[in-house]
Amino acid sequence: MFCPMCHKADSRVIDSRTADEGLAIRRRRECTSCGHRYTTMEAPVLMVSKRSGVTEPFSRDKVIRGVRRACQGRDITSDDLHMLAHRVELAVRAQGVSEVPAHEVGLAILEPLRDLDEVGYLRFASVYKSFESADDFEKEISLLRNDRPVRS
């Protein structure tokens, strides 16, 4: 870590705290050369491997864009999408690995999206699960109806 003032590489950690709901570490540092204090944020990189063999860093923005497309025309706020992306990231990171298949990210999207908006869920699932006929939609709708809590 280079000091932003004198650009020397030596620093000492004064304080460490978790940040971003445990997804990152905030460190308060002091340069051993000039005494300047500064803050760094450290987060482990979560990589996503695609079917093509390419790996790329996990992106909440890509999750949001995909879900936004599925929920187009629905009454879904930007905050709803950001919370969904956060839940997806937590679920994927909870697997405890540094690289996950893209398929696992898609699976992690399905449950919170079903809770958020059933129509958006069906749209996303139709692409993700490669629906080929109306029967596929009917089966998924049947599963949705069976999973709903009974209202009294």
Side-chain angles (χ1 to χ4, degrees), residues 62-133:
K62 284 187 84 171
V63 171
I64 290 170
R65 279 195 307 270
V67 173
R68 181 175 279 134
R69 248 183 258 125
C71 294
Q72 191 171 1
R74 306 290 299 158
D75 189 25
I76 306 299
T77 67
S78 184
D79 286 344
D80 292 336
L81 294 174
H82 285 279
M83 285 302 300
L84 183 138
H86 180 71
R87 285 180 62 190
V88 169
E89 184 174 4
L90 288 177
V92 173
R93 285 190 185 274
Q95 294 178 11
V97 295
S98 60
E99 186 173 315
V100 294
H103 176 76
E104 295 294 325
V105 176
L107 287 176
I109 291 172
L110 289 173
E111 185 176 335
L113 182 53
R114 182 177 57 209
D115 295 341
L116 179 63
D117 184 70
E118 289 180 344
V119 173
Y121 166 81
L122 285 172
R123 290 174 179 169
F124 188 87
S126 70
V127 174
Y128 181 74
K129 295 181 177 183
S130 302
F131 288 3
E132 294 182 7
S133 68

Side-chain angles (χ1 to χ4, degrees), residues 40-81:
T40 60
M41 294 291 285
E42 301 170 21
V45 177
L46 176 63
M47 298 300 286
V48 177
S49 59
K50 298 184 162 201
R51 282 182 282 183
S52 65
V54 174
T55 60
E56 61 184 41
F58 175 84
S59 168
R60 285 187 189 182
D61 290 335
K62 284 187 84 171
V63 171
I64 290 170
R65 279 195 307 270
V67 173
R68 181 175 279 134
R69 248 183 258 125
C71 294
Q72 191 171 1
R74 306 290 299 158
D75 189 25
I76 306 299
T77 67
S78 184
D79 286 344
D80 292 336
L81 294 174

